[in-house]
């Protein structure tokens, strides 16, 4: 009885196995299981980092994505300052172009696609200016905080 069950299981496994081999198509499978066309890399230039820490790279793909960056040590501590950018095209045809500088002042990206804060309303600017003037006037009179809480 056990041998009949085992034989049946083996036959089912053999029947479920693929019957032929096909070479992979011109697609890739992403970790989530989706697939798409293979995008060729048209340019892939890389240099460094050299003995001093200088480096640069540039690459471009067949679907219009490009990325470039250069970096070199700066200052006494040799922290690497870099600059570069990337570009691509959105599905609707809109170009996406970004550039950046990363140095002692931090990472500073630039693009007309980055969000910007709304401008402050005039009353807020007036309040900030009044507070600045009060701070400046208070600093010139005394360095100790006032204890009268605005009372005469």
């Amino acid at each position: 009885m056990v041998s009949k069950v085992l034989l049946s299981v083996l036959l089912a496994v053999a029947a479920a196995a693929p019957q032929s081999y096909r070479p992979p198509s011109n697609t890739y499978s992403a970790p989530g299981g989706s697939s798409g066309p293979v995008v060729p890399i048209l340019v892939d230039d890389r240099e460094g980092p050299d003995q001093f820490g200088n480096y640069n790279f540039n690459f471009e793909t067949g679907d219009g994505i490009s990325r470039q960056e250069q970096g070199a040590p700066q200052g006494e501590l040799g922290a690497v300052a870099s600059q570069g950018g990337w570009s691509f095209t959105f599905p609707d045809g809109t170009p996406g172009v970004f550039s950046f500088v990363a140095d002692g002042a931090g990472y500073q990206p630039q693009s007309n696609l980055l969000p910007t804060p709304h401008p402050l309303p005039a009353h807020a600017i007036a309040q900030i200016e009044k507070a600045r003037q009060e701070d400046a006037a208070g600093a010139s009179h005394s360095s100790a905080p006032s204890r009268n809480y605005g009372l005469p």
Side-chain angles (χ1 to χ4, degrees):
M1 176 71 175
V2 173
S3 62
K4 287 183 181 180
V5 171
L6 184 58
L7 181 61
S8 297
V9 169
L10 288 175
L11 286 174
V13 169
Q19 299 302 313
S20 65
Y21 171 77
R22 289 184 318 189
S25 65
N26 193 17
T27 62
Y28 70 93
S29 292
S34 64
S35 65
V38 172
V39 178
I41 296 175
L42 305 176
V43 175
D44 188 358
D45 297 326
R46 304 172 199 216
E47 294 181 23
D50 63 15
Q51 64 198 28
F52 305 106
N54 300 303
Y55 73 94
N56 65 64
F57 66 84
N58 177 35
F59 76 81
E60 296 178 25
T61 63
D63 62 355
I65 296 172
S66 68
R67 174 82 167 87
Q68 63 283 336
E69 183 174 326
Q70 309 82 42
Q74 304 288 313
E76 293 178 19
L77 298 177
V80 174
S82 59
Q83 62 183 9
W86 61 96
S87 64
F88 58 91
T89 303
F90 286 101
D92 69 357
T94 304
V97 179
F98 294 80
S99 63
F100 73 92
V101 172
D103 57 15
Y107 180 74
Q108 306 148 55
Q110 294 183 343
S111 174
N112 61 353
L113 297 172
L114 293 173
T116 56
H118 293 287
L120 290 174
H123 72 275
I125 294 172
Q127 288 175 335
I128 292 168
E129 179 59 23
K130 181 178 180 194
R132 188 193 64 74
Q133 290 173 355
E134 289 175 352
D135 285 347
S140 65
H141 290 106
S142 167
S143 60
S146 170
R147 301 269 183 215
N148 63 7
Y149 301 102
L151 300 173

